[in-house]
Every structure is written in C-alpha cells, then in structure tokens.
PDB file of all heavy atoms in Angstrom:
ATOM      1  N   SER A 346      -5.518  20.225  -2.839  1.00 69.00           N
ATOM      2  CA  SER A 346      -4.871  18.964  -2.635  1.00 69.00           C
ATOM      3  C   SER A 346      -3.517  19.114  -1.980  1.00 69.00           C
ATOM      4  O   SER A 346      -3.087  18.309  -1.169  1.00 69.00           O
ATOM      5  CB  SER A 346      -4.767  18.171  -3.948  1.00 69.00           C
ATOM      6  OG  SER A 346      -3.896  18.827  -4.813  1.00 69.00           O
ATOM      7  N   LEU A 347      -2.835  20.221  -2.339  1.00 73.00           N
ATOM      8  CA  LEU A 347      -1.537  20.516  -1.706  1.00 73.00           C
ATOM      9  C   LEU A 347      -1.694  20.798  -0.215  1.00 73.00           C
ATOM     10  O   LEU A 347      -0.942  20.334   0.600  1.00 73.00           O
ATOM     11  CB  LEU A 347      -0.869  21.680  -2.401  1.00 73.00           C
ATOM     12  CG  LEU A 347       0.532  22.043  -1.940  1.00 73.00           C
ATOM     13  CD1 LEU A 347       1.490  20.864  -2.132  1.00 73.00           C
ATOM     14  CD2 LEU A 347       1.042  23.271  -2.670  1.00 73.00           C
ATOM     15  N   GLN A 348      -2.751  21.511   0.136  1.00 76.00           N
ATOM     16  CA  GLN A 348      -3.031  21.811   1.544  1.00 76.00           C
ATOM     17  C   GLN A 348      -3.345  20.510   2.308  1.00 76.00           C
ATOM     18  O   GLN A 348      -2.920  20.348   3.436  1.00 76.00           O
ATOM     19  CB  GLN A 348      -4.211  22.747   1.678  1.00 76.00           C
ATOM     20  CG  GLN A 348      -3.918  24.159   1.202  1.00 76.00           C
ATOM     21  CD  GLN A 348      -5.172  25.028   1.163  1.00 76.00           C
ATOM     22  OE1 GLN A 348      -6.283  24.553   1.306  1.00 76.00           O
ATOM     23  NE2 GLN A 348      -4.951  26.319   0.951  1.00 76.00           N
ATOM     24  N   ARG A 349      -4.067  19.560   1.669  1.00 77.00           N
ATOM     25  CA  ARG A 349      -4.361  18.308   2.316  1.00 77.00           C
ATOM     26  C   ARG A 349      -3.054  17.472   2.548  1.00 77.00           C
ATOM     27  O   ARG A 349      -2.902  16.830   3.579  1.00 77.00           O
ATOM     28  CB  ARG A 349      -5.333  17.483   1.477  1.00 77.00           C
ATOM     29  CG  ARG A 349      -6.771  17.964   1.704  1.00 77.00           C
ATOM     30  CD  ARG A 349      -7.692  17.158   0.880  1.00 77.00           C
ATOM     31  NE  ARG A 349      -7.817  17.918  -0.352  1.00 77.00           N
ATOM     32  CZ  ARG A 349      -8.422  17.501  -1.433  1.00 77.00           C
ATOM     33  NH1 ARG A 349      -8.988  16.336  -1.485  1.00 77.00           N
ATOM     34  NH2 ARG A 349      -8.518  18.266  -2.488  1.00 77.00           N
ATOM     35  N   GLN A 350      -2.150  17.560   1.595  1.00 77.00           N
ATOM     36  CA  GLN A 350      -0.877  16.815   1.752  1.00 77.00           C
ATOM     37  C   GLN A 350      -0.070  17.422   2.885  1.00 77.00           C
ATOM     38  O   GLN A 350       0.497  16.660   3.697  1.00 77.00           O
ATOM     39  CB  GLN A 350      -0.067  16.875   0.457  1.00 77.00           C
ATOM     40  CG  GLN A 350      -0.635  15.996  -0.645  1.00 77.00           C
ATOM     41  CD  GLN A 350       0.189  16.098  -1.919  1.00 77.00           C
ATOM     42  OE1 GLN A 350       1.066  16.969  -2.009  1.00 77.00           O
ATOM     43  NE2 GLN A 350      -0.089  15.277  -2.870  1.00 77.00           N
ATOM     44  N   ILE A 351      -0.041  18.729   3.014  1.00 79.00           N
ATOM     45  CA  ILE A 351       0.703  19.387   4.105  1.00 79.00           C
ATOM     46  C   ILE A 351       0.090  19.053   5.446  1.00 79.00           C
ATOM     47  O   ILE A 351       0.736  18.777   6.415  1.00 79.00           O
ATOM     48  CB  ILE A 351       0.764  20.886   3.865  1.00 79.00           C
ATOM     49  CG1 ILE A 351       1.637  21.207   2.625  1.00 79.00           C
ATOM     50  CG2 ILE A 351       1.280  21.642   5.083  1.00 79.00           C
ATOM     51  CD1 ILE A 351       1.576  22.634   2.174  1.00 79.00           C
ATOM     52  N   ARG A 352      -1.254  19.026   5.505  1.00 80.00           N
ATOM     53  CA  ARG A 352      -1.947  18.677   6.742  1.00 80.00           C
ATOM     54  C   ARG A 352      -1.632  17.240   7.138  1.00 80.00           C
ATOM     55  O   ARG A 352      -1.440  16.909   8.315  1.00 80.00           O
ATOM     56  CB  ARG A 352      -3.451  18.859   6.562  1.00 80.00           C
ATOM     57  CG  ARG A 352      -4.210  18.724   7.844  1.00 80.00           C
ATOM     58  CD  ARG A 352      -5.718  18.941   7.718  1.00 80.00           C
ATOM     59  NE  ARG A 352      -6.050  19.967   6.766  1.00 80.00           N
ATOM     60  CZ  ARG A 352      -7.010  19.821   5.838  1.00 80.00           C
ATOM     61  NH1 ARG A 352      -7.664  18.728   5.731  1.00 80.00           N
ATOM     62  NH2 ARG A 352      -7.301  20.829   5.009  1.00 80.00           N
ATOM     63  N   CYS A 353      -1.552  16.339   6.127  1.00 78.00           N
ATOM     64  CA  CYS A 353      -1.220  14.949   6.407  1.00 78.00           C
ATOM     65  C   CYS A 353       0.190  14.834   6.985  1.00 78.00           C
ATOM     66  O   CYS A 353       0.395  14.080   7.951  1.00 78.00           O
ATOM     67  CB  CYS A 353      -1.334  14.134   5.143  1.00 78.00           C
ATOM     68  SG  CYS A 353      -0.938  12.379   5.316  1.00 78.00           S
ATOM     69  N   LEU A 354       1.124  15.573   6.462  1.00 79.00           N
ATOM     70  CA  LEU A 354       2.507  15.549   6.974  1.00 79.00           C
ATOM     71  C   LEU A 354       2.576  16.114   8.396  1.00 79.00           C
ATOM     72  O   LEU A 354       3.366  15.575   9.213  1.00 79.00           O
ATOM     73  CB  LEU A 354       3.417  16.326   6.055  1.00 79.00           C
ATOM     74  CG  LEU A 354       3.681  15.691   4.663  1.00 79.00           C
ATOM     75  CD1 LEU A 354       4.476  16.651   3.810  1.00 79.00           C
ATOM     76  CD2 LEU A 354       4.409  14.376   4.824  1.00 79.00           C
ATOM     77  N   LYS A 355       1.753  17.082   8.714  1.00 82.00           N
ATOM     78  CA  LYS A 355       1.746  17.672  10.053  1.00 82.00           C
ATOM     79  C   LYS A 355       1.233  16.656  11.068  1.00 82.00           C
ATOM     80  O   LYS A 355       1.532  16.728  12.255  1.00 82.00           O
ATOM     81  CB  LYS A 355       0.924  18.946  10.100  1.00 82.00           C
ATOM     82  CG  LYS A 355       1.637  20.110   9.443  1.00 82.00           C
ATOM     83  CD  LYS A 355       0.771  21.379   9.571  1.00 82.00           C
ATOM     84  CE  LYS A 355       1.487  22.551   8.898  1.00 82.00           C
ATOM     85  NZ  LYS A 355       0.666  23.763   8.929  1.00 82.00           N
ATOM     86  N   MET A 356       0.376  15.756  10.610  1.00 80.00           N
ATOM     87  CA  MET A 356      -0.181  14.711  11.522  1.00 80.00           C
ATOM     88  C   MET A 356       0.686  13.474  11.534  1.00 80.00           C
ATOM     89  O   MET A 356       0.218  12.395  11.930  1.00 80.00           O
ATOM     90  CB  MET A 356      -1.592  14.369  11.095  1.00 80.00           C
ATOM     91  CG  MET A 356      -2.582  15.440  11.228  1.00 80.00           C
ATOM     92  SD  MET A 356      -4.290  14.964  10.911  1.00 80.00           S
ATOM     93  CE  MET A 356      -4.250  14.539   9.181  1.00 80.00           C
ATOM     94  N   ASP A 357       1.942  13.557  11.157  1.00 81.00           N
ATOM     95  CA  ASP A 357       2.911  12.430  11.065  1.00 81.00           C
ATOM     96  C   ASP A 357       2.397  11.313  10.161  1.00 81.00           C
ATOM     97  O   ASP A 357       2.536  10.145  10.474  1.00 81.00           O
ATOM     98  CB  ASP A 357       3.185  11.865  12.486  1.00 81.00           C
ATOM     99  CG  ASP A 357       4.086  12.802  13.255  1.00 81.00           C
ATOM    100  OD1 ASP A 357       4.857  13.526  12.619  1.00 81.00           O
ATOM    101  OD2 ASP A 357       4.031  12.744  14.483  1.00 81.00           O
ATOM    102  N   GLY A 358       1.750  11.714   9.093  1.00 82.00           N
ATOM    103  CA  GLY A 358       1.229  10.730   8.131  1.00 82.00           C
ATOM    104  C   GLY A 358       1.994  10.781   6.800  1.00 82.00           C
ATOM    105  O   GLY A 358       2.916  11.602   6.652  1.00 82.00           O
ATOM    106  N   ARG A 359       1.629   9.907   5.921  1.00 81.00           N
ATOM    107  CA  ARG A 359       2.165   9.960   4.576  1.00 81.00           C
ATOM    108  C   ARG A 359       1.085   9.596   3.587  1.00 81.00           C
ATOM    109  O   ARG A 359       0.143   8.859   3.919  1.00 81.00           O
ATOM    110  CB  ARG A 359       3.364   8.982   4.463  1.00 81.00           C
ATOM    111  CG  ARG A 359       2.983   7.536   4.768  1.00 81.00           C
ATOM    112  CD  ARG A 359       4.269   6.655   4.828  1.00 81.00           C
ATOM    113  NE  ARG A 359       3.878   5.330   5.119  1.00 81.00           N
ATOM    114  CZ  ARG A 359       3.448   4.417   4.254  1.00 81.00           C
ATOM    115  NH1 ARG A 359       3.370   4.729   2.987  1.00 81.00           N
ATOM    116  NH2 ARG A 359       3.142   3.181   4.593  1.00 81.00           N
ATOM    117  N   CYS A 360       1.189  10.123   2.419  1.00 80.00           N
ATOM    118  CA  CYS A 360       0.179   9.915   1.396  1.00 80.00           C
ATOM    119  C   CYS A 360       0.449   8.618   0.612  1.00 80.00           C
ATOM    120  O   CYS A 360       1.598   8.468   0.116  1.00 80.00           O
ATOM    121  CB  CYS A 360       0.092  11.081   0.456  1.00 80.00           C
ATOM    122  SG  CYS A 360      -0.401  12.610   1.270  1.00 80.00           S
ATOM    123  N   GLU A 361      -0.487   7.729   0.521  1.00 80.00           N
ATOM    124  CA  GLU A 361      -0.326   6.481  -0.162  1.00 80.00           C
ATOM    125  C   GLU A 361      -1.566   6.063  -0.880  1.00 80.00           C
ATOM    126  O   GLU A 361      -2.670   6.585  -0.631  1.00 80.00           O
ATOM    127  CB  GLU A 361      -0.013   5.361   0.840  1.00 80.00           C
ATOM    128  CG  GLU A 361       1.401   5.423   1.423  1.00 80.00           C
ATOM    129  CD  GLU A 361       2.521   5.209   0.408  1.00 80.00           C
ATOM    130  OE1 GLU A 361       2.293   4.471  -0.579  1.00 80.00           O
ATOM    131  OE2 GLU A 361       3.549   5.806   0.600  1.00 80.00           O
ATOM    132  N   ILE A 362      -1.420   5.149  -1.847  1.00 78.00           N
ATOM    133  CA  ILE A 362      -2.586   4.622  -2.551  1.00 78.00           C
ATOM    134  C   ILE A 362      -3.385   3.698  -1.608  1.00 78.00           C
ATOM    135  O   ILE A 362      -4.613   3.771  -1.575  1.00 78.00           O
ATOM    136  CB  ILE A 362      -2.153   3.843  -3.796  1.00 78.00           C
ATOM    137  CG1 ILE A 362      -1.507   4.826  -4.783  1.00 78.00           C
ATOM    138  CG2 ILE A 362      -3.293   3.131  -4.450  1.00 78.00           C
ATOM    139  CD1 ILE A 362      -0.852   4.178  -5.970  1.00 78.00           C
ATOM    140  N   GLU A 363      -2.739   2.868  -0.872  1.00 81.00           N
ATOM    141  CA  GLU A 363      -3.346   1.942   0.079  1.00 81.00           C
ATOM    142  C   GLU A 363      -2.589   2.039   1.379  1.00 81.00           C
ATOM    143  O   GLU A 363      -1.358   2.048   1.409  1.00 81.00           O
ATOM    144  CB  GLU A 363      -3.320   0.497  -0.404  1.00 81.00           C
ATOM    145  CG  GLU A 363      -4.287   0.216  -1.507  1.00 81.00           C
ATOM    146  CD  GLU A 363      -5.693   0.099  -1.038  1.00 81.00           C
ATOM    147  OE1 GLU A 363      -5.916  -0.345   0.086  1.00 81.00           O
ATOM    148  OE2 GLU A 363      -6.622   0.507  -1.790  1.00 81.00           O
ATOM    149  N   CYS A 364      -3.284   2.057   2.497  1.00 81.00           N
ATOM    150  CA  CYS A 364      -2.607   2.014   3.795  1.00 81.00           C
ATOM    151  C   CYS A 364      -2.274   0.569   4.084  1.00 81.00           C
ATOM    152  O   CYS A 364      -2.968  -0.364   3.749  1.00 81.00           O
ATOM    153  CB  CYS A 364      -3.527   2.530   4.899  1.00 81.00           C
ATOM    154  SG  CYS A 364      -3.833   4.308   4.759  1.00 81.00           S
ATOM    155  N   LEU A 365      -1.111   0.360   4.737  1.00 82.00           N
ATOM    156  CA  LEU A 365      -0.700  -0.995   5.088  1.00 82.00           C
ATOM    157  C   LEU A 365      -1.546  -1.499   6.255  1.00 82.00           C
ATOM    158  O   LEU A 365      -2.268  -0.714   6.911  1.00 82.00           O
ATOM    159  CB  LEU A 365       0.777  -0.959   5.458  1.00 82.00           C
ATOM    160  CG  LEU A 365       1.703  -0.515   4.337  1.00 82.00           C
ATOM    161  CD1 LEU A 365       3.158  -0.398   4.839  1.00 82.00           C
ATOM    162  CD2 LEU A 365       1.661  -1.458   3.153  1.00 82.00           C
ATOM    163  N   SER A 366      -1.445  -2.790   6.527  1.00 84.00           N
ATOM    164  CA  SER A 366      -2.298  -3.400   7.569  1.00 84.00           C
ATOM    165  C   SER A 366      -2.029  -2.842   8.923  1.00 84.00           C
ATOM    166  O   SER A 366      -2.931  -2.864   9.816  1.00 84.00           O
ATOM    167  CB  SER A 366      -2.135  -4.917   7.567  1.00 84.00           C
ATOM    168  OG  SER A 366      -0.806  -5.245   7.837  1.00 84.00           O
ATOM    169  N   PHE A 367      -0.834  -2.356   9.194  1.00 86.00           N
ATOM    170  CA  PHE A 367      -0.508  -1.811  10.528  1.00 86.00           C
ATOM    171  C   PHE A 367      -0.627  -0.283  10.591  1.00 86.00           C
ATOM    172  O   PHE A 367      -0.114   0.361  11.471  1.00 86.00           O
ATOM    173  CB  PHE A 367       0.919  -2.233  10.937  1.00 86.00           C
ATOM    174  CG  PHE A 367       1.990  -1.798   9.978  1.00 86.00           C
ATOM    175  CD1 PHE A 367       2.597  -0.551  10.063  1.00 86.00           C
ATOM    176  CD2 PHE A 367       2.382  -2.643   8.940  1.00 86.00           C
ATOM    177  CE1 PHE A 367       3.563  -0.154   9.188  1.00 86.00           C
ATOM    178  CE2 PHE A 367       3.348  -2.260   8.055  1.00 86.00           C
ATOM    179  CZ  PHE A 367       3.940  -1.023   8.162  1.00 86.00           C
ATOM    180  N   GLU A 368      -1.341   0.301   9.627  1.00 85.00           N
ATOM    181  CA  GLU A 368      -1.525   1.757   9.584  1.00 85.00           C
ATOM    182  C   GLU A 368      -3.031   2.107   9.626  1.00 85.00           C
ATOM    183  O   GLU A 368      -3.876   1.294   9.223  1.00 85.00           O
ATOM    184  CB  GLU A 368      -0.965   2.343   8.301  1.00 85.00           C
ATOM    185  CG  GLU A 368       0.541   2.231   8.241  1.00 85.00           C
ATOM    186  CD  GLU A 368       1.101   2.759   6.934  1.00 85.00           C
ATOM    187  OE1 GLU A 368       0.468   2.566   5.853  1.00 85.00           O
ATOM    188  OE2 GLU A 368       2.150   3.384   6.975  1.00 85.00           O
ATOM    189  N   ASP A 369      -3.326   3.277  10.089  1.00 83.00           N
ATOM    190  CA  ASP A 369      -4.666   3.862  10.147  1.00 83.00           C
ATOM    191  C   ASP A 369      -4.853   4.847   9.028  1.00 83.00           C
ATOM    192  O   ASP A 369      -3.891   5.544   8.679  1.00 83.00           O
ATOM    193  CB  ASP A 369      -4.959   4.569  11.460  1.00 83.00           C
ATOM    194  CG  ASP A 369      -5.133   3.624  12.602  1.00 83.00           C
ATOM    195  OD1 ASP A 369      -5.658   2.530  12.393  1.00 83.00           O
ATOM    196  OD2 ASP A 369      -4.753   3.976  13.726  1.00 83.00           O
ATOM    197  N   LYS A 370      -6.050   4.900   8.461  1.00 82.00           N
ATOM    198  CA  LYS A 370      -6.383   5.990   7.486  1.00 82.00           C
ATOM    199  C   LYS A 370      -6.837   7.153   8.328  1.00 82.00           C
ATOM    200  O   LYS A 370      -7.810   7.079   9.084  1.00 82.00           O
ATOM    201  CB  LYS A 370      -7.496   5.505   6.587  1.00 82.00           C
ATOM    202  CG  LYS A 370      -7.143   4.384   5.686  1.00 82.00           C
ATOM    203  CD  LYS A 370      -8.305   3.961   4.850  1.00 82.00           C
ATOM    204  CE  LYS A 370      -7.925   2.696   4.067  1.00 82.00           C
ATOM    205  NZ  LYS A 370      -9.101   2.148   3.403  1.00 82.00           N
ATOM    206  N   ILE A 371      -6.117   8.274   8.237  1.00 80.00           N
ATOM    207  CA  ILE A 371      -6.429   9.433   9.040  1.00 80.00           C
ATOM    208  C   ILE A 371      -6.931  10.610   8.240  1.00 80.00           C
ATOM    209  O   ILE A 371      -7.104  11.686   8.763  1.00 80.00           O
ATOM    210  CB  ILE A 371      -5.178   9.856   9.902  1.00 80.00           C
ATOM    211  CG1 ILE A 371      -4.014  10.187   9.003  1.00 80.00           C
ATOM    212  CG2 ILE A 371      -4.835   8.858  10.897  1.00 80.00           C
ATOM    213  CD1 ILE A 371      -2.835  10.797   9.758  1.00 80.00           C
ATOM    214  N   GLY A 372      -7.181  10.393   6.971  1.00 75.00           N
ATOM    215  CA  GLY A 372      -7.701  11.466   6.168  1.00 75.00           C
ATOM    216  C   GLY A 372      -7.409  11.231   4.696  1.00 75.00           C
ATOM    217  O   GLY A 372      -7.050  10.104   4.307  1.00 75.00           O
ATOM    218  N   GLY A 373      -7.552  12.219   3.891  1.00 74.00           N
ATOM    219  CA  GLY A 373      -7.324  12.098   2.507  1.00 74.00           C
ATOM    220  C   GLY A 373      -6.227  13.066   2.007  1.00 74.00           C
ATOM    221  O   GLY A 373      -6.042  14.144   2.565  1.00 74.00           O
ATOM    222  N   CYS A 374      -5.496  12.639   0.994  1.00 73.00           N
ATOM    223  CA  CYS A 374      -4.454  13.492   0.419  1.00 73.00           C
ATOM    224  C   CYS A 374      -4.955  14.099  -0.887  1.00 73.00           C
ATOM    225  O   CYS A 374      -5.098  15.292  -1.033  1.00 73.00           O
ATOM    226  CB  CYS A 374      -3.189  12.703   0.174  1.00 73.00           C
ATOM    227  SG  CYS A 374      -2.319  12.312   1.718  1.00 73.00           S
ATOM    228  N   ARG A 375      -5.183  13.203  -1.880  1.00 67.00           N
ATOM    229  CA  ARG A 375      -5.650  13.689  -3.160  1.00 67.00           C
ATOM    230  C   ARG A 375      -6.571  12.652  -3.722  1.00 67.00           C
ATOM    231  O   ARG A 375      -6.475  11.481  -3.403  1.00 67.00           O
ATOM    232  CB  ARG A 375      -4.493  13.853  -4.150  1.00 67.00           C
ATOM    233  CG  ARG A 375      -3.569  14.955  -3.777  1.00 67.00           C
ATOM    234  CD  ARG A 375      -2.560  15.290  -4.871  1.00 67.00           C
ATOM    235  NE  ARG A 375      -2.224  14.149  -5.733  1.00 67.00           N
ATOM    236  CZ  ARG A 375      -1.257  14.188  -6.568  1.00 67.00           C
ATOM    237  NH1 ARG A 375      -0.466  15.219  -6.668  1.00 67.00           N
ATOM    238  NH2 ARG A 375      -0.998  13.152  -7.365  1.00 67.00           N
ATOM    239  N   ALA A 376      -7.437  13.050  -4.587  1.00 58.00           N
ATOM    240  CA  ALA A 376      -8.395  12.089  -5.134  1.00 58.00           C
ATOM    241  C   ALA A 376      -7.790  11.275  -6.267  1.00 58.00           C
ATOM    242  O   ALA A 376      -8.189  10.173  -6.539  1.00 58.00           O
ATOM    243  CB  ALA A 376      -9.609  12.867  -5.671  1.00 58.00           C
ATOM    244  N   GLU A 377      -6.777  11.781  -6.904  1.00 61.00           N
ATOM    245  CA  GLU A 377      -6.284  11.112  -8.149  1.00 61.00           C
ATOM    246  C   GLU A 377      -5.372   9.956  -7.819  1.00 61.00           C
ATOM    247  O   GLU A 377      -5.680   8.790  -8.039  1.00 61.00           O
ATOM    248  CB  GLU A 377      -5.552  12.081  -9.049  1.00 61.00           C
ATOM    249  CG  GLU A 377      -6.353  13.225  -9.545  1.00 61.00           C
ATOM    250  CD  GLU A 377      -6.262  14.432  -8.614  1.00 61.00           C
ATOM    251  OE1 GLU A 377      -5.194  14.633  -8.009  1.00 61.00           O
ATOM    252  OE2 GLU A 377      -7.215  15.171  -8.538  1.00 61.00           O
TER     253      GLU A 377
END
C-alpha cells in the first residue's frame, strides 16, 4: 500500500476517500 501511495504521488495524484467531480480516478492507494 505504501508503494501504491508513492506511485500515486509520482503521477501528480493524491489519495482520497472520494474523488471530487473535477478529478479523475487514476488508480488505487489503499483498500482501507
């Protein structure tokens, strides 16, 4: 899950519970 978070940051993303309406879901961070 730490590796997924780092990969998300490299893609200029951020980990959230819900993406906002003006954002795309580009992957997963953690399941919990």
